[in-house]
Amino acid sequence: MIRETPPGNPISAGSLRLLAGQIGATSAVLLFFAASMFGQDSEATPQQLIVATREVPPFAMQDAEQQWVGITMELFREIKAGLEADSGHDIAVEFREMSLEDMLSAVEHGEVDLAAAALTVNYEREKRMDFSHPFHSSGLGIAVGQREMRTWDAILKAIFSVNFLSLLGALFVVLLASGVAVYFFERKRNPEQFGGGPVNGISSGIWWAAVTMTTVGYGDKAPKSAAGRAVGCIWMFAGLFIIASFTAAVTSTLTVNRLHSRIAGPSDLPHVRVATVAESTSETYLRRRHIVAQDHADLSGALAALREGEVDAVVYDAPILRYETHQHFSGEIHVLPATFERQDYAFALPSESPLRERMNHVVLRKIGSPEWNDVLVSYFGEEFE
């Protein structure tokens, strides 16, 4: 028996099966892409973050309960909260304390998810890894001993220096020679002024030579003999050159000692003894400018060397210098107010890290808020950079 199809477009059983197959295939493709998207989101927000860090107050440090605190860590907590809110699940954090070079190497090779400390962005590091948006900008600073800031200390040091005392000794010898010569010619012809025995006569001659050389000329003593006046004429003209030379030598000695003791900025660094921290951006700065510096393992060691007088200045990141000086070397070390060689602080991440863009959103939002200014003031005081 043959059945008739209803009027309209005829649909065979084979066509129905083909249509069903196409619908099923389309659904499978959609499910695949959805699963891929969810899988990527899950992968972009891991269940655990491994964070490399190191003790660099006030950016990263451990409190009495061995919890990591500081400027960088407060911002990292905001980033973690933002990632948890986006993913809908908690994120565990494992901090790994490392040296600076080990920390950079771990980020470069993807052994950690990010590095959070006091990392500055520069060309050499950017070639090895990625960085978040900078969250603080400052520069290098110079720390000097508190005694370096006292001008009178420098002047007294110059006055009692070997060079200055040698100048005084030479001047006294010249005065003595002139005084003896006047006494020799005047002791008989002018005994009322240059008599009274060798001691009194020579001392009177030295007094006459001194007031004549300095052009004070009290007039209480004057040679009367022809030979004595001849000595006087020679001494007056010679005194002009002697006093001019002595003044120039004294000025030079005071200037050199003052410049050595007062360091005003980076232009003075080539002339003094400098210390810095090994493998830091400040070491790179000094090396590129051919400034010889003592390398120390940490900032505390460099500042201790400055306090003991082993070096004249310490060059390092200005905010870290100020914090460390205020906490441990107050009254002994002073950080100059000027900064140079701009430094931008940021989080370091492995190249093409999926976390970078999402971290940047949090960083920009946080540092643009009034609360961030309060965070900086709490660590740096009112005069933060």
Side-chain angles (χ1 to χ4, degrees), residues 68-340:
W68 285 98
V69 296
I71 296 173
T72 307
M73 293 306 170
E74 292 204 24
L75 186 54
F76 172 72
R77 282 197 290 271
E78 294 284 339
I79 293 172
K80 175 177 175 290
L83 294 175
E84 289 176 336
D86 290 344
S87 64
H89 63 74
D90 293 337
I91 301 175
V93 178
E94 177 188 345
F95 288 106
R96 294 182 182 177
E97 191 171 2
M98 305 178 181
S99 66
L100 175 60
E101 190 52 45
D102 288 343
M103 185 164 53
L104 295 174
S105 178
V107 173
E108 180 182 11
H109 295 97
E111 298 170 2
V112 296
D113 295 298
L114 69 144
L119 288 172
T120 53
V121 184
N122 59 34
Y123 172 71
E124 295 298 328
R125 293 175 182 177
E126 183 66 37
K127 291 192 299 184
R128 301 168 57 187
M129 63 199 71
D130 284 340
F131 286 89
S132 70
H133 191 282
F135 57 83
H136 185 67
S137 295
S138 182
L140 296 180
I142 301 175
V144 297
Q146 195 69 24
R147 63 183 179 277
E148 303 292 341
M149 302 304 296
R150 303 190 187 106
T151 304
W152 283 107
D153 284 355
I155 294 175
L156 290 175
K157 182 179 178 181
I159 290 175
F160 291 100
S161 65
V162 175
N163 290 337
F164 190 83
L165 294 177
S166 299
L167 288 173
L168 289 178
L171 180 61
F172 178 76
V173 170
V174 175
L175 289 172
L176 177 62
S178 179
V180 169
V182 169
Y183 164 72
F184 179 78
F185 292 113
E186 296 293 315
R187 69 186 188 280
K188 294 182 180 179
R189 179 71 182 273
N190 192 5
E192 63 275 10
Q193 294 182 6
F194 297 97
V199 174
N200 290 333
I202 292 175
S203 62
S204 297
I206 293 175
W207 169 255
W208 167 84
V211 296
T212 302
M213 181 184 67
T214 57
T215 68
V216 174
Y218 286 111
D220 58 335
K221 297 184 185 298
K224 294 181 178 180
S225 67
R229 289 179 177 179
V231 171
C233 289
I234 296 173
W235 178 246
M236 282 188 286
F237 287 106
L240 296 176
F241 294 99
I242 293 173
I243 197 65
S245 301
F246 179 77
T247 302
V250 170
T251 303
S252 176
T253 301
L254 291 174
T255 302
V256 169
N257 279 275
R258 186 175 178 183
L259 287 177
H260 183 269
S261 62
R262 295 198 66 188
I263 302 169
S267 60
D268 298 320
L269 294 176
H271 311 295
V272 298
R273 299 169 300 170
V274 182
T276 189
V277 178
E279 300 178 350
S280 64
T281 52
S282 53
E283 181 198 35
T284 303
Y285 170 86
L286 295 170
R287 185 174 62 251
R288 287 177 177 174
R289 282 153 183 79
H290 308 290
I291 299 173
V292 179
Q294 294 182 16
D295 289 339
H296 290 261
D298 52 40
L299 181 58
S300 296
L303 291 175
L306 176 61
R307 179 183 59 190
E308 298 302 321
E310 298 173 9
V311 295
D312 302 308
V314 172
V315 178
Y316 199 59
D317 297 16
I320 304 174
L321 263 182
R322 291 195 177 100
Y323 182 87
E324 188 73 14
T325 298
H326 177 70
Q327 292 293 320
H328 304 292
F329 298 91
S330 180
E332 299 176 303
I333 293 175
H334 174 81
V335 180
L336 301 182
T339 60
F340 56 98

